[in-house]
Structures are given as structure tokens and as C-alpha cells.
Amino acid sequence: MEQLHLKYQQKPWTETLKRVHFCMDKPLQGRVSNAPDGPLLSCMEKIQRTLNAKSLFSVMNRLESLSKQKGLNAHIGPSGTACYITSDMFYIEVQLEKDGKVMDVKLAHLGETPVVCDDLVQHLRMKNYDAFGRILEDLSNLYQIPGNSEMKAKGYLALQALEKDLYSMSLLDRAQDVNRVTEVLHGKVGHLVPRTGGTSMNIEFYISPYQVLEAELNPGSQVCGTKTVVTVEGTDMLHKLPLSPLLVDSQTGEDGNPAFLPLTDELSMDLPAFFVLKFHQPIPMSSSSIEEIQRLTGIQITGLKLAPLYELIVQSTLKEKCSEDLSTHKSCFFVSLPDCPKHCYFINKGSEKSDLTGALVSKIPFSHPKCVHGVIEILRHQVAYNSLISSCVSEKHINEDDSELLYFEVVPQKNTSFSVFFLHPVKENLACETSNVTFI
């Protein structure tokens, strides 16, 4: 240490800063934890996140470093106030003022005119580099399709065609004064928000009764329901994907569903990719719902691990409600209701029977826009069922000595049916109520 002090005591602070920035600019190769110099790289990453980039120099350094971490190229334009983040398929132009403030951010896909991205502008002005980095990843993932640049461009073209069809479907049979909650729960594709800039198209398809009540009691409040993101992913198998919109304007088939043009060779192409509905958090789904979706789309959902459905619902609910880790083996839950005796729910997670099992589903692949309406209906039904069962789950501990507790046992039945056992309030025997959850 003494030798190091003697060696560097004459070095100016500016040179030290320059060396740190130079090291931080180097891209991370692979996972940090697996690298021999993992602790150092992890340290650099933390420093980058902590630094509040204000000057033009520091903002440029931050953008260049972040781009390299995401596997993209970055360089500064001739003016010295523009940073270009590039790949083979798209580029982002960030225009800065001389004091480092963000003026404008434009995105251009291959062969397209650059467009201003308000979402990227907002993230950079707020110094939210984590969100900006996630968008860079999403843009890169759009082109993770096997093949050359032409094949990747066809995949993006197919996504654009799908998005146009879904947007047109969202307008079918839609009243002019429809409110958002009605659209979420009853729209053909829910409440659809088109892709803007670097933010993917998303569909909000379910909102719980609690959230509906909150929206009614607090006008103007933006209650967020369950959403899915629409994107495209590469795969090892070929799928016939449309390269232009297929929906026939303002026409429906004999069954009342939207009418589509035939998927001819002129309108489609075999690509090593499929469309995907991705969820921010995996959704517990019953085996029967999964099988129904696979029959509808004609594509298997891979990577699923079957388990008792109620165990998955309890696990997901505790993860959402609790900041700390709680045992997923817990089965008794204390629920306090207003103006009511306190309830204790015992969740019977069922056996390993096939009709009582399920899996956590993080994405649903498909290849034709006509599948989306049916998939959304299945998802609504499943999430409504999950929402009802999860209302019996709480992170609160049970006081077993509380004599005022009312005890209930929730037992899964076939598909979306369940039974609730409880002591009869008048007779001295056990009562049972069986319900089947439907979604209208």
C-alpha cells in the first residue's frame, strides 16, 4: 500500500477520474457473478448507477457505458452534443445541450424515418437510466431472430402487421363513450395501448372488483389492472407469420368474431419466429386453461413446471403482497374484513390430480391475430378465479387464541370450481358451499 501511495501521490484527481470512466466504459462480458473480476465489475456498475450525471461529458459517458453493457455500439456525433446508439437493425439519436440537458431522442428502425420518442426523452431527463436500459434491451430483443438482417427485418414487419390488426380489432363494436374499465373487461382485446417509440404495445385485459371500486370512489385515479406485452421472439421452428394486416375492415364472420383474409403466400412468410404475449409477472394457470390455449394457438407453451394450482396462487399472492420472503408452505391465513368477525382461511392446495394442477405462465406464443381474442377470454377467466382465491391469502400472522375467529376451508374442485367448508352459524354441523367462477 505504501508503494502504491508513493506511485500515485503526484497524479492529479482529473486523471484518476479519467481512468475510472475509461474502466467503466468497458462492456460487461457475460454474467458479472461468473467473471473472475466480478467484484470489480459489480463495483463499477454500482458507481454508474449512483453517479448523478449532470455535465455533457458525464451524460455522454453514461450513455456510452450503458449502450456497451447492452451489447450496442455508441459514438459521439461531430457536433459533440449528439450521441448515437446503434445496432445493425436500429439506431437511437440523443441530442443534448452543452450543459448536459436532454433536448430530443429519436429512434429509427432499418429503412424507416427517425421518430421522436417521448418515453425515452422522459427517462433520460429524469435520469432513469435503468428504465432506458430496459428499453434498449427490448429493442434488441425484437431482432433476436435466427438468420441475416433481411430475416430479422421480416420479423419486425410481421410484428407491425400484427399490431395494426390488433388495433383495428380494438375499435370493432366499440362505443364512442366507452370507459376504460368496460374496455378492459369486455373489449375484444381489452384496453390496448399502441407501441410508441421504445415502449412495446400492451394490452390491459383484467381489473379486479376491488380496483373497479377504487376507480369509482376516486374519479380520475388511474388504477392499473393485469397487462400483457405484445412482441415477437425467435424460435428454432418455422411459423407462417403475416407480413401485412389481415383484418377485413368492419366485417365479422358468422360466429360474430372478426373476419380475416386467408393466410396466403403473398401475405405471409415462414419465419423462425412467433408472436408472444408476455406478462410482467408469471400468471398461475390451470392445466385445462393451458391446454385450451395451446389448442387455440396450435403452439406448445414450453418450460412449464406443473404443481398444485392453489399452491401456485398462494405463492404468487404472497410474493406480490409481501416485501420479505414468506414460506410458500403456509396454508392458514388471517383476513380482517370491515364490520365483520375476523376470518381464518385454510387453503387446501389439493392433490397431484391432473385437473387440479397448473403452472406459472410467463408468455403465450401464437402465430395469427385471430387467436388473441380467444386467449384474452381465457386469461380473463383464469385471472378472475385467481383473484377470488387470492383474496383469502394474507401475509398477517394468525392469533390462534382468538376465540372470535371464523374458520373456513377452501378446497379446489374441477376446473374453476371450489368449495368452502365452515361451521353452520345456527346448527352444530359443518356446512359446505360450492361455487363455479364464470366470467361474463
Side-chain angles (χ1 to χ4, degrees), residues 333-376:
F333 302 98
F334 173 81
V335 179
S336 180
L337 301 176
D339 302 323
C340 290
K342 297 171 183 178
H343 291 189
C344 175
Y345 290 94
F346 173 76
I347 307 294
N348 187 324
K349 297 176 183 177
S351 64
E352 296 295 334
K353 293 181 182 178
S354 60
D355 57 345
L356 300 179
T357 60
L360 292 174
V361 177
S362 57
K363 61 183 179 181
I364 296 175
F366 63 101
S367 59
H368 197 288
K370 69 180 180 182
C371 301
V372 176
H373 172 63
V375 170
I376 292 295

Side-chain angles (χ1 to χ4, degrees), residues 69-306:
Q69 289 176 19
K70 303 303 179 183
L72 301 170
N73 300 314
H75 66 272
I76 299 173
S79 65
T81 57
C83 180
Y84 293 89
I85 300 170
T86 64
S87 76
D88 293 338
M89 305 306 299
F90 70 90
Y91 75 87
I92 294 173
E93 177 186 346
V94 182
Q95 289 286 349
L96 302 168
E97 296 182 15
K98 291 185 177 180
D99 59 0
K101 292 181 180 179
V102 177
M103 293 173 56
D104 209 1
V105 181
K106 294 180 180 179
L107 167 66
H109 292 272
L110 185 66
E112 291 187 357
T113 305
V115 293
V116 176
C117 298
D118 293 331
D119 52 343
L120 296 179
V121 172
Q122 187 68 16
H123 289 323
L124 290 180
R125 285 179 178 172
M126 298 293 293
K127 309 295 183 187
N128 191 348
Y129 291 104
D130 288 338
F132 184 78
R134 285 192 294 270
I135 288 179
L136 292 183
E137 286 184 13
D138 291 342
L139 288 170
S140 296
N141 290 337
L142 284 179
Y143 297 102
Q144 297 304 311
I145 297 173
N148 55 23
S149 296
E150 184 180 354
M151 192 69 72
K152 297 177 189 294
K154 293 292 185 183
Y156 177 67
L157 187 63
L159 177 63
Q160 287 181 308
L162 171 70
E163 291 173 338
K164 289 175 182 177
D165 274 338
L166 293 182
Y167 181 72
S168 299
M169 288 170 64
S170 71
L171 300 178
L172 291 176
D173 304 326
R174 178 185 177 185
Q176 291 184 349
D177 57 346
V178 65
N179 63 52
R180 175 174 153 268
V181 172
T182 301
E183 192 175 22
V184 169
L185 295 176
H186 303 292
K188 287 191 179 296
V189 290
H191 177 69
L192 183 144
V193 179
R195 178 161 54 93
T196 55
T199 304
S200 301
M201 172 182 280
N202 69 79
I203 293 173
E204 188 178 5
F205 60 87
Y206 180 78
I207 187 169
S208 71
Y210 288 118
Q211 293 171 314
V212 172
L213 180 61
E214 184 180 344
E216 291 175 353
L217 295 177
N218 302 285
S221 63
Q222 189 71 4
V223 179
C224 183
T226 307
K227 295 182 179 181
T228 182
V229 172
V230 181
T231 186
V232 64
E233 286 188 0
T235 178
D236 295 333
M237 296 179 61
L238 293 176
H239 296 89
K240 188 177 286 293
L241 301 184
L243 297 181
S244 62
L246 300 176
L247 185 67
V248 179
D249 293 340
S250 305
Q251 293 188 23
T252 55
E254 295 178 359
D255 56 358
N257 290 323
F260 294 91
L261 295 171
L263 201 60
T264 61
D265 292 339
E266 291 75 19
L267 298 176
S268 65
M269 182 177 179
D270 289 330
L271 294 170
F274 47 42
F275 303 127
V276 172
L277 297 177
K278 296 181 71 173
F279 308 109
H280 297 293
Q281 296 294 334
I283 294 179
M285 298 192 69
S286 66
S287 297
S288 58
S289 294
I290 294 171
E291 290 170 2
E292 192 175 353
I293 287 176
Q294 290 178 153
R295 282 195 298 270
L296 185 64
T297 62
I299 301 177
Q300 289 289 114
I301 303 174
T302 58
L304 300 181
K305 184 178 180 181
L306 293 180

